Amino acid sequence: MEKEVTTRSCMPAENHSKSERFPKPTQQPDPIEAKAPAEPENRDLGLTMVGIGASAGGLDALKSFFNALPTNLGMAFVVITHLHPDYESHMAELLQRQTPLPTMQVTETTKIEANHVYVIPPNRRILMTDTRLEVREFDEPHGHRTPIDHFFRSLASSGHPDPSAIILSGGGTDGAVGIKDIKEVGGVVMVQQPEDAEFDSMPRAALTTGLVDVILPAGELARKLAQFIQHRPELPHDAGQLSEPEAETLQRILAQVHARTGHDFTQYKRSTILRRVERRMQLNGFSTLDAYLAYLRGNGTEAQ
């Protein structure tokens, strides 16, 4: 039987400074329990997982994001922030005021449900295994913890289809390692525009990886995410099921990318390539490979 999600009472946020609630990480994470990124297997779940990382200045960004987020998208959101280990958190209650989605702090193993928001508790990290969230103690001392990286990496290795990672305002570099795993399994990476962030270190660290798909202010990220899930191209999940014209168009897309960037994708798994192309089609609002190829040819930055 699944354990129920529980919430904890929290002291007023005004009692603690922003830097206390969102301490800055100082180093990259050590290897964690999560397995190496795996090919997503269960595509019939119909549930898109969204991990959101924030640190200093993240509360205002999170409010903007959830205030602009449409409901009933069929997504589940996991909010990972840097919390002081000795203070109770009322992040869940603050975010609940911005969205009609049930919002709760996770304190024990919890089954994920669509259209819910799950929030990390103080002095614990959250990992995703299959369709559940597990709460674990940190191995690192305070000041050396990277809970965002840990969650993103576990999300990528969980085998869950269509993961998305969002990085909002924060100091340090937490999240920049984890998004690499999200991208490796064909997921989408979105980052708050640095000029819109109160603290831009985390967004800029993510941008230096070259793996970010979308860069927008926090509220516009929510609207873009909704557009992304609502405009899924009608492509087969198995590249072997492409029609002959579709397979030829996919080859032309890869050739165009090769010509523009010098990067040869011919040795990649076709299923992985198809997912990545599908993500770019979704993000740019195209429903067919032919339409995306035309866009790719006319847009000098899309190949990169």
Side-chain angles (χ1 to χ4, degrees):
M1 179 178 296
E2 300 296 339
K3 295 181 179 179
E4 295 181 352
V5 176
T6 58
T7 59
R8 300 173 62 182
S9 60
C10 308
M11 297 172 63
E14 291 75 14
N15 290 346
H16 313 295
S17 70
K18 183 181 302 178
S19 61
E20 291 176 321
R21 296 198 307 275
F22 297 105
K24 299 179 181 180
T26 59
Q27 68 179 32
Q28 302 294 352
D30 293 327
I32 61 171
E33 297 90 337
K35 302 175 183 177
E39 287 289 313
E41 297 176 353
N42 192 347
R43 287 182 166 271
D44 296 324
L45 289 174
L47 176 62
T48 296
M49 288 298 309
V50 181
I52 306 176
S55 182
L59 180 57
D60 286 342
L62 285 163
K63 288 180 176 180
S64 296
F65 178 87
F66 282 106
N67 186 260
L69 186 72
T71 58
N72 298 320
L73 294 175
M75 298 176 171
F77 300 87
V78 181
V79 177
I80 309 295
T81 58
H82 296 160
L83 300 171
H84 195 288
D86 298 327
Y87 300 147
E88 296 288 343
S89 169
H90 64 167
M91 176 69 73
E93 289 86 346
L94 290 172
L95 296 183
Q96 184 66 86
R97 300 172 187 172
Q98 309 300 318
T99 176
L101 301 179
T103 304
M104 57 206 71
Q105 183 182 117
V106 181
T107 59
E108 55 190 7
T109 300
T110 304
K111 186 174 181 180
I112 293 287
E113 296 183 56
N115 300 314
H116 281 62
V117 180
Y118 302 92
V119 179
I120 192 173
N123 205 31
R124 292 292 185 272
R125 56 187 171 131
I126 290 182
L127 299 180
M128 184 164 183
T129 57
D130 190 21
T131 58
R132 292 170 175 77
L133 295 175
E134 293 188 2
V135 180
R136 309 252 184 107
E137 293 186 1
F138 282 102
D139 297 324
E140 309 86 358
H142 178 56
H144 296 269
R145 298 170 177 176
T146 53
I148 301 170
D149 279 319
H150 277 83
F151 178 75
F152 285 172
R153 295 176 69 189
S154 72
L155 173 58
S157 68
S158 68
H160 204 94
D162 305 327
S164 297
I166 297 175
I167 294 181
L168 302 177
S169 174
T173 62
D174 197 8
V177 171
I179 63 174
K180 296 177 182 178
D181 286 17
I182 294 291
K183 199 69 175 179
E184 182 65 25
V185 296
V188 171
V189 178
M190 300 184 175
V191 170
Q192 183 178 9
Q193 187 174 357
E195 294 78 9
D196 182 62
E198 186 174 350
F199 291 82
D200 64 2
S201 297
M202 268 176 38
R204 291 191 185 280
L207 291 174
T208 62
T209 67
L211 301 175
V212 177
D213 297 298
V214 177
I215 310 164
L216 289 170
E220 293 182 35
L221 284 177
R223 289 183 280 271
K224 187 67 174 181
L225 185 66
Q227 179 189 40
F228 170 75
I229 198 65
Q230 292 169 343
H231 295 85
R232 190 181 299 276
E234 295 294 331
L235 296 180
H237 295 142
D238 184 351
Q241 297 176 354
L242 289 172
S243 67
E244 185 174 342
E246 288 174 331
E248 291 177 357
T249 302
L250 180 60
Q251 286 300 114
R252 291 191 180 98
I253 288 172
L254 299 184
Q256 185 72 18
V257 173
H258 189 197
R260 291 283 183 90
T261 69
H263 196 104
D264 184 3
F265 282 96
T266 57
Q267 300 304 314
Y268 281 62
K269 288 184 178 180
R270 277 294 180 265
S271 58
T272 299
I273 291 297
L274 190 59
R275 284 201 311 276
R276 292 189 179 185
V277 171
E278 184 181 56
R279 297 298 177 273
R280 296 307 305 170
M281 290 171 63
Q282 282 183 268
L283 290 166
N284 290 288
F286 297 106
S287 59
T288 68
L289 288 168
D290 285 332
Y292 178 68
L293 175 59
Y295 173 73
L296 180 64
R297 286 170 169 167
N299 188 309
T301 61
E302 178 63 18
Q304 187 63 49

